[in-house]
Every structure is written in C-alpha cells, then in structure tokens.
Amino acid sequence: MTWMIIRLVLSLAFIAAVLWFAARVAHKRGIGQGSGLIEVVARQRMGRASSVSVVRIAGRVLVVGSTEEQVTLLAEVDGDVVEEAIAERRAAFAQPVPAGAPGVLAGSVFDRTGWTAFVAQLRERTVRR
C-alpha cells in the first residue's frame, strides 16, 4: 500500500516536471502567444454562431461583428472611451452588494430570492390543513 502511494506521488511529480519544462520551451519559442499586436478587449455572443468583439490593434480600437462565414467592421471607437467603460464596469463589480438589494443575479436562475419565493409557494400549496 505504501509503495503504491510513493509511486503515485513520484508519477505526479514527473508529470508536473514535464509540463513545466514544456511550458518553458513554449514560452521561449513564443508558441501559443500572440504577437502582442492584437488584443481582444471584450466579446459578446449575439447568437449561436455570431458575436460582437471589441479588438485593439496597434493602438486602434475596432468593433467587429463575426459569424461563421465572415468578419465585418462595425465601427472604430476611441480608446479612451473603451478604457473608461472597462474601469467603470470593474468598479461596479468590485463594490459589495448590500443585503436585500438586487444584485447581478437578480431575475436569473441563480437568484436566491427567486428560489426562496418559489419554495415558499410550494410549501404553501403542499401544507395539509
């Protein structure tokens, strides 16, 4: 039993070492990294096969729509406006939500108050009188 645990730990250590070595080699050769020229700032899916993306390319910020067949330039946006919008969104998510206030999940499947009300209604219907 002890020998099996030792073999397991040694096997995991060997796999971790191989992955670490492969990551270093890939980083040195630039495999898996972009050139740094193109950065996807934000992406929003619009349907099963379509999305709108905000892309920064060499200092220019472009809004592009993409489907399975094509990519279309929708607009060019000022970079400062995009940075301000991102900063506002991060600040909104960083603020704690006070107890009892509707949060980000309000109205969704993950909303606790919605499930609490649903369970209360089920209890009301199933209580024997």
Side-chain angles (χ1 to χ4, degrees), residues 23-36:
R24 284 187 54 115
V25 169
H27 182 69
K28 284 183 181 179
R29 294 188 182 180
I31 299 172
Q33 297 178 0
S35 62

Side-chain angles (χ1 to χ4, degrees), residues 81-97:
V81 173
V82 172
E83 292 300 326
E84 289 174 11
I86 291 172
E88 287 176 8
R89 185 152 177 95
R90 286 183 182 153
F93 279 118
Q95 294 176 353
V97 177

Side-chain angles (χ1 to χ4, degrees), residues 101-126:
V104 178
L105 300 177
S108 72
V109 176
F110 301 112
D111 184 17
R112 183 176 182 167
T113 56
W115 283 106
T116 304
F118 176 71
V119 170
Q121 288 177 358
L122 283 178
R123 285 183 181 155
E124 185 67 29
R125 289 184 180 186
T126 58

Side-chain angles (χ1 to χ4, degrees), residues 9 14 23 27 29 44 46 48 61 87 92 97 101 107 120 125-126:
V9 170
F14 176 74
H27 182 69
R29 294 188 182 180
Q44 177 66 47
M46 302 305 286
R48 186 178 61 86
V61 179
V97 177
R125 289 184 180 186
T126 58

Side-chain angles (χ1 to χ4, degrees), residues 26 37 74 94 96 98 117 121 125 128:
L37 185 64
L74 300 176
Q121 288 177 358
R125 289 184 180 186
R128 294 184 184 170

